[in-house]
Structures are given as structure tokens and as C-alpha cells.
Amino acid sequence: MKKTTTNKNFIIGFCMVLAVLVFALAGLVFAPFDPEEMDAASKLASPSFKHLFGCDNFGRDILSRVQQGTRMTLLIGLGSTAIGAVIGTILGAVMGYFGGLLDEGLMRVIDVLFAIPSILLALIFISLFGTGTFNVILALGFAIVPSFAKMVRTEFMKQREMDYVKAAKLMGAGRGRILFVHILPNVMPTLLNCVLISLNNAVLAEAGMSFLGIGVQPPQASLGRMLSEAQGHLQTAPFYTIFPGLVMIIMLLGFGLMSEGGGLKDAFRRKS
Amino acid sequence: MAKYMLKKILMLVLTLLAVSFVVFAAFSILPGDPALQKLGTEATPEKLEAMREQMGLNDPFMVRYGKWLLGMLTFDFGKSYSYSMSVTDLIGDKIFINFTMSSLALVIVCAVSIPLGIYTAKRVGGVVDKIFIVINQLFMSVPPFLLGLLLTFVFGLTFRLFTPGGYIDYHDNFIGFVGYLICPAIAIALPKCAMCIRLLKANILEEAKKDYARTAYSRGNSTTSMLYRHILQNAIMPTITFIGMVVADMIASGIIIEQVFGIPGLGRSLLSAISTRDYPVVMAIVMLIAAGIVIISTVTDLIYAWVDPRVRVTGDEE
């Protein structure tokens, strides 16, 4: 019973993310308008057949901008998760497997970083290195590292004592080989779940930062940026808020459902 | 208990020390000269040198760190680079705004999620439970600032229960101030409510499967008395820890929510300080938020240990 629900959730979530992805990528091949083209005549025009989602305060087509913004948000989410996942996995693996003084020291550092919320970490990073898309990716990637490393560390600590690791050691496998060839595949399900959660958080954080105006810079679109621009026109043009908001909710709901209750773990285990 | 408490408080002090060091070091290795920035176009080499001396920039790193740290203990966070006033004056009365907003959000989380968690656990599989599974999942996926926009649209623009952007200062009208903060607090609290409801429900159902619950049941307790007298005490503890952790997130999302509702709190100061590179202000706010979070998590741990003696024992091994 429980298993079927989590799998169902996973599939629904997957379809949602896929739909958003197709919608965003479709913009590369077919976008009704240039997302940065301004048309003074149709400022804040309501949705119509010409502009399905309406137009923003500069007369730019919201549909095209939502497509571009979703791509940007996904790009930042994927980029920062990739950075966080690679560094976090290496750190977590080394800490969990070797333990000792190094682990103790790094753990304290992680504890300290935990005391600062990840959006604040990203804000500090931005204030040190400046804004811009690339810096946002770095900042969020950096903010993901502590939680990722902590989760991976726990997994590696569990695996460390297992027989297959001892066997590999007896057969003379090097440390690097044990860590990344023997143990890593076994922690993959947990790792992928961490990736999904991080992706969810990164998208959320990117939206928040762009909303604050310190993420993606204009004229580039991102969902958070659009929402912050839409805020001033909430009364006259609610559709401006609704469409980017809707895409964002579908995307986040999709990630949430996929990572839900280890849905991915089940999907992964069944495959192997 | 005393030993456990001492240990926790020692950890708190050490963590804060480490945070302060990291923050100070991060902002000290920056390229750029604050003295030059302050003087702007008036800078001559002599003036620059005098200003550096006055700002204490010529001292060695550890001396500057020590001064900054000692200053913080007396709530002196240094001088703002952009405004010629002390950081304490600049952000002092903003702390209260964020404190009120976070406290309201915390009250909402507790008031909503504990009864609903118990209710959905009691009626698991029922219609209400099923509806809440969907609602919870939905609310967990909506970013707080989007929720803020929705609330502004519904309560501010449609029902006109409050004026969007019409922040009322607490010096003028305290009731109005709290009233204005309710919507932002709801926006911060709802996603956390959803998580707490789910967690509490899962914990109650988990505890209900255990042996002591079966024993209590077989001794003739009614479902209700079993739930409130036996299960709840055990099930609510992880939820309290979780709420303690959630506070950190709520303080962080407050930064964004302030922008949605036009509240001149710490978040706004932080953002303007970041854009003008006013590092003493940024450092002070980061330290304040970090201190708030670490203190809350320590207090949660202590409450937990006070209520549940098992933690004191197992907690020591950690």
C-alpha cells in the first residue's frame, strides 16, 4: 500500500517536472516573441490569443519570458546542485570513511555553517563577490555543500563497517577505489534523493534571491525576478504574478513529490 | 542536568565564536579599502592614512577581530561605512520588528499544526486527512514570498483588510503594528505548518504501533485518553525539535517577506548594506541572525532534555 503511493507520487512529480521542462525548452525552438522585445502599445495587456499570458509593464510577452525565466531558474538550480553535490559528496565521503581528527574538525565547520541559514550564506557570498548569474550559481552551490556533506557522511559511516568494504580492503583496493567505486554506488539512492531535495531548495533560493534583486540581473528573466517585477502591478495585472507563480509551484511540487518518502529510492531499487 | 546544560551552553559559546571568526575573516580578506570608500573623491594620501588610523584598519588582523568581538559583547557593532552613525543605532529598533514577526509566525505554526496534526492522525484515512495530504504537499512547495503575494492580493487588494505597503511603526500604534505583521507571519508560517502537521501525524501513528500503546489500550483506556495521556507526550517531542529548527528557516524567509510587505526590518537593512558594501552592518546583521538561531536551537535542546531525561543520557555520548 505504502509503496504504491510513494511510486505514484514519484510518477506524478516526474510528469510535472517533465512538463515544465518541455514547456521551458520548447521556448528555444518556438517562442511566440523575443523575451526582451518591448512593445509600448501592449503594456500590461491582458492575456489574449496574441499574447497567451499577457504582457508585462514594458510590453514584453509574458509567455516567452516565463519560458526563458524557467530555463534560467532550472539552469541555476542544476548548476548549483551539481557544484554542491560534487563537493559535498567528496567531503562527506572522506569525512565519513576516514573519521578521526579531520572529520571532527570539518564537522565543527559544518555545524558553524548550519547556524547561518543557506539563503544568508548565499547573501554573504553575493555581497563578497558581487551579483550575476554565475555568482548566484556559485553562491547557492556553496550554500548546499554543508547539508549535502552531512547527509553523505552519515551514509559513508554506515557503509564503512560493512563486509564488502572489508573484502575490498583485503583484496588490496586503494582508498580512492573503495570510496568511489565500491561504496558510492551503494549510497546512490540516498544521494539521488539528496540531489532532488537540493534542487528543490536551490530553485526556491534562486527565486528568493532574484526576488530580492540580487540574483539574476535584468533584462534577463528568471521566475523570481519576474515575480518581483510583477509585485507592483498586482492590482492592475494579476496575471503577471499568476503565470510565473504557477510554473514555479508546478516545478517545486514536482520536485517535492519526487523526493517524497524516498520515492526515488524505490524507483531506483526496483531497477537494480 | 546541570552537566548537560553546561555542555550545551559551552557549545553555544564556541559555535558563536567560530561563526564570528568566519564572518570577520570573510569580510576582512576582501579587496578594497574601506577608508578610501568612506572618503570617496576627497581622498589624499594623508587623509587616507589618518582615516585608516581612525578606523583602526592599521591594526593587525587578530587585534581588529578582538576589538570587534569585545565590542559586540557590549552591543557595539562599530560604525556604519555609509552613514555616520553606529550600527547599533542603525539596526537597533529593527530587531524588534523581526522578533515580533518571527514570534507571530512561531505562534501560528504551533497553534495550527499541533491540533491539526493530532486531528489528522486520529482520522487517518478519512476525508479530512486526505484533503490535508494534498494541501500540505501544496503548501510545502509554495515559496513564502509567493504566498505573501497571494495573501496581499486576497486580503489586501480584494478584501481590503490591510493596506499593502502601509507598514505601521510600533512607536505610533502597537496594535496596528502587530496587525500589519499578521499577514507576513502567515506567509512565513504556512509552509512550516504543513511540514509540522505531517511530522506530528507520522510520529503519532508511529508511537501508536509501539508496545506501550497496545498495553495501555488493552488495559481499557479509551482511544482518546490513550492518545492524550500516553502517545502524545512521546510523539510531540520530535515535533518540538523540528519547530526549533524551523525557526532558523523562518528568520531567513523573513528577509524576503519583508520586501513583499514593505517592512523596514533587518532584511531591508541587510540588502541595502550589501548593495552599498557597508560591511559592518552586514556583519552585525549576520551575527545577530546567527546568534538568534544558535540560541533558539540550544534552548530547544535544553527544553527537550528537561522534559525527556533519556536525552540527557544519550546526548552525552554524542
Side-chain angles (χ1 to χ4, degrees):
Chain A
M1 172 63 200
K2 184 135 190 265
K3 198 166 180 175
T4 47
T5 24
T6 51
N7 270 333
K8 209 162 65 188
N9 279 348
F10 180 77
I11 291 165
I12 297 172
F14 185 72
C15 291
M16 284 172 146
V17 173
L18 198 67
V20 171
L21 200 66
V22 168
F23 166 78
L25 291 180
L28 287 174
V29 190
F30 169 74
F33 291 89
D34 178 354
E36 280 160 31
E37 181 194 299
M38 301 180 194
D39 174 11
S42 47
K43 273 184 187 170
L44 294 174
S46 298
S48 61
F49 283 113
K50 192 176 167 211
H51 298 283
L52 279 179
F53 286 5
C55 282
D56 70 2
N57 50 330
F58 292 110
R60 296 175 294 196
D61 182 54
I62 292 182
L63 173 59
S64 314
R65 282 185 75 72
V66 170
Q67 285 178 322
Q68 196 200 24
T70 313
R71 281 200 299 278
M72 179 58 82
T73 302
L74 277 171
L75 176 79
I76 293 178
L78 286 172
S80 54
T81 306
I83 293 175
V86 170
I87 302 178
T89 305
I90 294 174
L91 268 182
V94 170
M95 285 164 69
Y97 184 72
F98 295 115
L101 214 61
L102 179 79
D103 175 44
E104 191 66 28
L106 282 174
M107 209 45 216
R108 289 288 88 82
V109 176
I110 287 181
D111 278 342
V112 167
L113 291 179
F114 255 74
I116 309 174
S118 55
I119 186 129
L120 205 58
L121 273 184
L123 280 179
I124 296 174
F125 193 95
I126 289 290
S127 75
L128 292 176
F129 298 101
T131 53
T133 309
F134 185 65
N135 278 350
V136 172
I137 294 179
L138 280 182
L140 291 177
F142 170 68
I144 289 171
V145 170
S147 61
F148 214 98
K150 206 171 179 178
M151 286 189 273
V152 174
R153 172 181 175 265
T154 322
E155 279 302 306
F156 269 78
M157 274 169 89
K158 270 190 230 157
Q159 302 283 332
R160 182 172 65 185
E161 306 298 329
M162 297 228 174
D163 285 341
Y164 77 91
V165 177
K166 283 179 194 151
K169 239 188 247 171
L170 284 177
M171 283 162 74
R175 288 164 171 176
R177 195 178 160 77
I178 292 178
L179 280 182
F180 297 107
V181 180
H182 293 280
I183 301 183
L184 195 64
N186 284 297
V187 299
M188 227 22 155
T190 320
L191 214 60
L192 286 176
N193 225 27
C194 295
V195 166
L196 276 179
I197 296 170
S198 304
L199 210 53
N200 194 32
N201 291 341
V203 167
L204 210 62
E206 184 280 325
M209 283 168 75
S210 296
F211 185 82
L212 294 179
I214 48 169
V216 175
Q217 296 300 312
Q220 276 182 318
S222 101
L223 292 178
R225 179 97 224 156
M226 292 188 74
L227 284 168
S228 102
E229 283 163 7
Q231 198 194 348
H233 309 281
L234 201 55
Q235 191 154 25
T236 45
F239 55 87
Y240 192 3
T241 305
I242 291 170
F243 291 114
L246 213 57
V247 172
M248 175 169 279
I249 293 176
I250 295 174
M251 182 156 65
L252 289 171
L253 198 56
F255 286 136
L257 284 172
M258 275 169 83
S259 59
E260 168 83 353
L264 196 66
K265 271 190 201 166
D266 286 353
F268 203 83
R269 279 213 186 100
R270 268 199 345 187
K271 224 173 80 185
S272 52
Chain B
M1 184 69 196
K3 197 178 149 206
Y4 181 80
M5 218 161 126
L6 210 66
K7 203 176 142 194
K8 279 282 164 196
I9 290 170
L10 193 70
M11 279 307 289
L12 168 104
V13 174
L14 284 179
T15 311
L16 280 180
L17 261 178
V19 172
S20 73
F21 187 76
V22 170
V23 169
F24 190 81
F27 283 93
S28 295
I29 53 168
L30 276 183
D33 188 342
L36 184 67
Q37 193 195 336
K38 196 166 182 180
L39 283 171
T41 48
E42 296 168 30
T44 59
E46 296 80 40
K47 271 191 183 172
L48 209 58
E49 193 47 44
M51 183 56 90
R52 280 211 195 104
E53 195 59 51
Q54 192 199 326
M55 289 167 87
L57 291 171
N58 286 340
D59 295 336
F61 174 79
M62 283 317 282
V63 174
R64 277 186 292 144
Y65 172 64
K67 274 187 186 163
W68 181 66
L69 196 64
L70 286 177
M72 276 202 297
L73 292 179
T74 52
F75 295 101
D76 170 20
F77 294 95
K79 269 204 157 74
S80 157
Y81 289 169
S82 323
Y83 305 94
S84 36
M85 58 198 289
S86 74
V87 178
T88 317
D89 290 339
L90 203 63
I91 60 176
D93 52 343
K94 304 207 159 134
I95 299 171
F96 184 69
I97 300 174
N98 288 67
F99 177 76
T100 315
M101 192 163 72
S102 305
S103 313
L104 272 175
L106 188 62
V107 170
I108 294 170
V109 169
C110 294
V112 171
S113 60
I114 292 175
L116 276 175
I118 295 171
Y119 186 81
T120 48
K122 248 163 76 180
R123 301 276 152 86
V124 65
V127 184
V128 181
D129 180 42
K130 278 179 181 150
I131 292 173
F132 266 100
I133 289 176
V134 177
I135 293 181
N136 285 345
Q137 189 70 47
L138 195 65
F139 274 129
M140 282 194 315
S141 313
V142 184
F145 66 88
L146 193 54
L147 217 52
L149 286 178
L150 276 175
L151 289 172
T152 310
F153 186 71
V154 175
F155 294 116
L157 297 175
T158 313
F159 293 119
R160 304 205 168 273
L161 289 178
F162 73 99
T163 327
Y167 166 77
I168 302 159
D169 194 62
Y170 61 90
H171 294 300
D172 304 336
N173 178 355
F174 191 75
I175 309 272
F177 163 73
V178 174
Y180 188 76
L181 289 183
I182 287 179
C183 256
I186 293 176
I188 299 172
L190 276 185
K192 308 298 168 203
C193 283
M195 291 178 196
C196 288
I197 292 174
R198 268 176 57 149
L199 185 71
L200 183 56
K201 179 186 141 188
N203 283 334
I204 291 178
L205 294 179
E206 184 71 26
E207 289 293 326
K209 277 189 208 140
K210 291 197 173 159
D211 284 344
Y212 76 87
R214 198 177 47 196
T215 312
Y217 201 56
S218 60
R219 280 170 59 209
N221 279 295
S222 69
T223 319
T224 316
S225 82
M226 194 178 88
L227 180 63
Y228 289 104
R229 287 180 50 197
H230 298 277
I231 294 174
L232 200 57
Q233 286 166 7
N234 287 311
I236 212 154
M237 290 317 297
T239 318
I240 289 178
T241 319
F242 181 73
I243 290 177
M245 292 196 293
V246 146
V247 173
D249 259 12
M250 293 203 292
I251 294 174
S253 48
I255 298 173
I256 305 175
I257 287 295
E258 274 176 35
Q259 299 306 112
V260 180
F261 289 89
I263 299 166
L266 283 179
R268 179 178 283 186
S269 305
L270 180 66
L271 287 174
S272 72
I274 286 176
S275 61
T276 56
R277 299 179 167 263
D278 193 350
Y279 295 131
V281 178
V282 178
M283 277 154 60
I285 295 177
V286 170
M287 281 313 296
L288 277 174
I289 293 179
I293 288 166
V294 177
I295 290 172
I296 288 166
S297 92
T298 307
V299 170
T300 327
D301 281 351
L302 288 179
I303 293 178
Y304 201 119
W306 179 54
V307 177
D308 189 345
R310 281 173 303 182
V311 179
R312 274 173 252 162
V313 184
T314 44
D316 277 344
E317 289 165 8
E318 197 191 358

